[in-house]
Amino acid sequence: GAVVSQHPSRVICKSGTSVKIECRSLDFQATTMFWYRQFPKQSLMLMATSNEGSKATYEQGVEKDKFLINHASLTLSTLTVTSAHPEDSSFYICSAGQGAELNTEAFFGQGTRLTVV
Amino acid sequence: GQQLNQSPQSMFIQEGEDVSMNCTSSSIFNTWLWYKQDPGEGPVLLIALYKAGELTSNGRLTAQFGITRKDSFLNISASIPSDVGIYFCAGQRGGADGLTFGKGTHLIIQP
């Protein structure tokens, strides 16, 4: 299957700082990537849809100024958590599909464990 | 955000037993997917279903896309220790849409 790589896998940052997480599609071009958040022992919740060359689409309740998304190329999307707070500590996971047609399979990155202290 | 109704929440079974879990939704999805997630890692796709009524197998795994497009089930036959983990169903409306996940089924296999 397709490979999606996420970096870093773990990050610890201080409150008030910003953290950038990268999501790369390694063997295909992804016009659309997705960012999810997963709190401990809970399911994945979609945060936003990252569109190459245009603005991201955020789910209800997700602050776009706090979670900045940049999808500058067909193989890279970045999520920046700005002014991080302890409650932002979570597992962030990206996914990418191989096309915009129906029947696209979504492949996930390894996830990034963010801890804000 | 919306979540799918996935059950059971957890299962304690003996090695060799068959496993069945299902997901239901109040709205229609055009694609159903089943994932397995190990601790600290991203979900790994097990089976993708694209047509209502479709029954698909992947080794010991079998999944079906419900006729109403509002439900799906996953069966695992003859469970083995490496089947331990959390299984998630997910629905997708269109190929350009993100996924809506179930709450997960935690599979525990007792020796």
Side-chain angles (χ1 to χ4, degrees):
Chain A
V3 179
V4 177
S5 178
Q6 206 171 322
H7 178 80
S9 57
R10 289 178 178 271
V11 59
I12 301 173
C13 71
K14 292 184 177 180
S15 290
T17 62
S18 296
V19 174
K20 180 184 286 187
I21 303 170
E22 293 185 348
C23 180
R24 295 182 184 273
S25 56
L26 297 185
D27 54 359
F28 67 99
Q29 293 184 331
T31 54
T32 304
M33 292 185 177
F34 304 93
W35 287 96
Y36 297 82
R37 181 167 51 185
Q38 185 178 30
F39 291 108
K41 298 185 178 181
Q42 295 189 24
S43 186
L44 288 79
M45 297 297 290
L46 180 65
M47 297 176 65
T49 302
S50 172
N51 303 299
E52 188 269 335
S54 64
K55 292 183 179 181
T57 304
Y58 290 82
E59 296 298 302
Q60 190 173 8
V62 178
E63 300 176 55
K64 62 180 181 181
D65 293 330
K66 180 168 184 61
F67 299 100
L68 301 179
I69 292 173
N70 187 303
H71 194 155
S73 76
L74 287 172
T75 60
L76 174 64
S77 174
T78 60
L79 169 69
T80 301
V81 183
T82 63
S83 187
H85 290 283
E87 56 264 32
D88 297 326
S89 298
S90 186
F91 195 51
Y92 292 87
I93 313 173
C94 70
S95 75
Q98 291 183 271
E101 304 83 12
L102 203 63
N103 299 342
T104 297
E105 297 178 6
F107 296 93
F108 285 82
Q110 311 95 310
T112 297
R113 172 75 60 194
L114 171 63
T115 303
V116 184
V117 297
Chain B
Q2 180 191 5
Q3 283 187 310
L4 304 177
N5 299 312
Q6 185 172 349
S7 64
Q9 184 175 356
S10 58
M11 300 184 73
F12 295 81
I13 64 167
Q14 300 285 341
E15 183 178 349
E17 289 185 12
D18 297 342
V19 171
S20 183
M21 59 191 79
N22 69 84
C23 266
T24 61
S25 170
S26 58
S27 57
I28 289 172
F29 288 97
N30 292 306
T31 301
W32 281 88
L33 304 142
W34 285 92
Y35 290 88
K36 180 174 184 278
Q37 185 179 30
D38 291 326
E41 298 185 12
V44 174
L45 181 66
L46 299 174
I47 291 181
L49 301 158
Y50 301 115
K51 295 181 181 179
E54 178 181 358
L55 183 71
T56 298
S57 293
N58 178 9
R60 294 179 294 106
L61 278 60
T62 301
Q64 185 160 29
F65 189 152
I67 289 290
T68 64
R69 293 192 285 164
K70 293 183 179 181
D71 64 295
S72 177
F73 72 73
L74 174 71
N75 288 339
I76 305 172
S77 62
S79 58
I80 60 177
S82 61
D83 291 335
V84 166
I86 301 178
Y87 292 79
F88 289 99
C89 63
Q92 186 181 35
R93 290 191 170 81
D97 296 328
L99 302 182
T100 301
F101 280 85
K103 296 181 180 180
T105 295
H106 190 181
L107 180 61
I108 300 165
I109 298 178
Q110 298 171 329

